[in-house]
Amino acid sequence: GQSLEQPSEVTAVEGAIVQINCTYQTSGFYGLSWYQQHDGGAPTFLSYNALDGLEETGRFSSFLSRSDSYGYLLLQELQMKDSASYFCAVRDPGNTGKLIFGQGTTLQVKP
Amino acid sequence: EAQVTQNPRYLITVTGKKLTVTCSQNMNHEYMSWYRQDPGLGLRQIYYSMNVEVTDKGDVPEGYKVSRKEKRNFPLILESPSPNQTSLYFCASSLYSRDRGLRGYTFGSGTRLTVV
């Protein structure tokens, strides 16, 4: 089966850098993606890594190591509005569109 | 504006009273899916559709029905709702290809359903 593990909570201060890790187990790998969800809101797509290395999108970067079955989301210059839940996700190889989500990491940014 | 529209946003209903949550997307996406989100359980797929008239069960399909008569619409039907279906529901869509599903999942704003 497929499973993802990420920390349940992370706390950081405004202006700092925070890293949210994700390890995965899957029988077929098609890439790792990240979503952000503010409390009660819709998940929104942040980034996607199909190959090893770092992808940068503004203040957010995502990293993947396929050999380690590991990825992380890096948030720089944290702002209060970054307080949200962050989910990593992989695609179920048996269903070409289904996403399997991690349990989510709640990021709290403090002043 | 490209979007997935769900209605209603909030719904309180009684056990056994049939209800439909609508979902519509304007991006010409082939793939649509319903997820429910519960504390401690994360996002779980209920049903999905790869195109018009093609639907299949996800991980938690019991008590739900769907239909895909048009490409843009994918309603979720609860024939006889029960309290354990109280949850936050999301509709999502994406282009159908091997990697697009990971890149471009667009979610609706969610429907918070309470069954009493």
Side-chain angles (χ1 to χ4, degrees):
Chain A
Q2 280 65 237
S3 67
L4 299 101
E5 285 192 20
Q6 46 182 136
S8 57
E9 292 181 3
V10 173
T11 301
V13 297
E14 208 172 1
I17 299 173
V18 72
Q19 178 175 311
I20 299 173
N21 299 320
C22 174
T23 57
Y24 59 86
Q25 282 188 313
T26 179
S27 55
F29 183 72
Y30 298 93
L32 185 72
S33 59
W34 290 90
Y35 286 78
Q36 178 193 58
Q37 185 183 30
H38 286 98
D39 192 31
T44 55
F45 173 77
L46 288 178
S47 69
Y48 167 71
N49 295 70
L51 302 175
D52 293 349
L54 193 68
E55 294 279 343
E56 297 182 66
T57 309
R59 294 187 297 114
F60 293 2
S61 303
S62 57
F63 172 82
L64 177 66
S65 169
R66 288 174 295 171
S67 61
D68 296 321
S69 298
Y70 164 76
Y72 66 73
L73 180 69
L74 191 72
L75 296 83
Q76 302 182 73
E77 301 172 17
L78 280 174
Q79 302 175 8
M80 298 299 290
K81 67 177 182 179
D82 297 329
S83 293
S85 292
Y86 294 84
F87 296 87
C88 56
V90 295
R91 201 181 74 205
D92 184 331
N95 173 334
T96 57
K98 175 182 174 181
L99 287 183
I100 298 169
F101 290 87
Q103 290 296 304
T105 299
T106 301
L107 170 64
Q108 185 178 16
V109 180
K110 295 186 173 181
Chain B
E1 180 189 353
Q3 60 185 358
V4 176
T5 303
Q6 281 180 242
N7 280 296
R9 288 293 309 276
Y10 301 92
L11 179 61
I12 301 174
T13 190
V14 296
T15 299
K17 185 177 181 182
K18 180 179 179 179
L19 67 91
T20 299
V21 183
T22 63
C23 174
S24 181
Q25 50 93 5
N26 61 1
M27 297 166 281
N28 203 36
H29 285 169
E30 296 87 358
Y31 189 92
M32 298 186 75
S33 181
W34 278 101
Y35 282 83
R36 63 177 286 175
Q37 186 174 30
D38 303 287
L41 296 175
L43 284 152
R44 295 178 293 167
Q45 189 186 56
I46 302 170
Y47 268 95
Y48 67 94
S49 169
M50 291 192 176
N51 216 323
V52 176
E53 302 292 359
V54 181
T55 64
D56 209 345
K57 297 176 181 178
D59 295 320
V60 287
E62 294 77 20
Y64 305 94
K65 285 176 57 178
V66 293
S67 68
R68 188 90 180 273
K69 293 182 170 55
E70 305 165 285
K71 196 171 186 178
R72 63 183 292 125
N73 296 323
F74 190 46
L76 179 69
I77 303 155
L78 285 74
E79 294 270 2
S80 182
S82 62
N84 65 11
Q85 293 178 297
T86 293
S87 186
L88 178 58
Y89 292 86
F90 289 103
C91 180
S93 73
S94 73
L95 288 172
Y96 177 68
S97 65
R98 291 180 65 82
D99 69 347
R100 275 287 191 176
L102 279 174
R103 287 179 188 274
Y105 245 47
T106 302
F107 283 83
S109 298
T111 296
R112 189 169 291 280
L113 173 66
T114 302
V115 183
V116 298

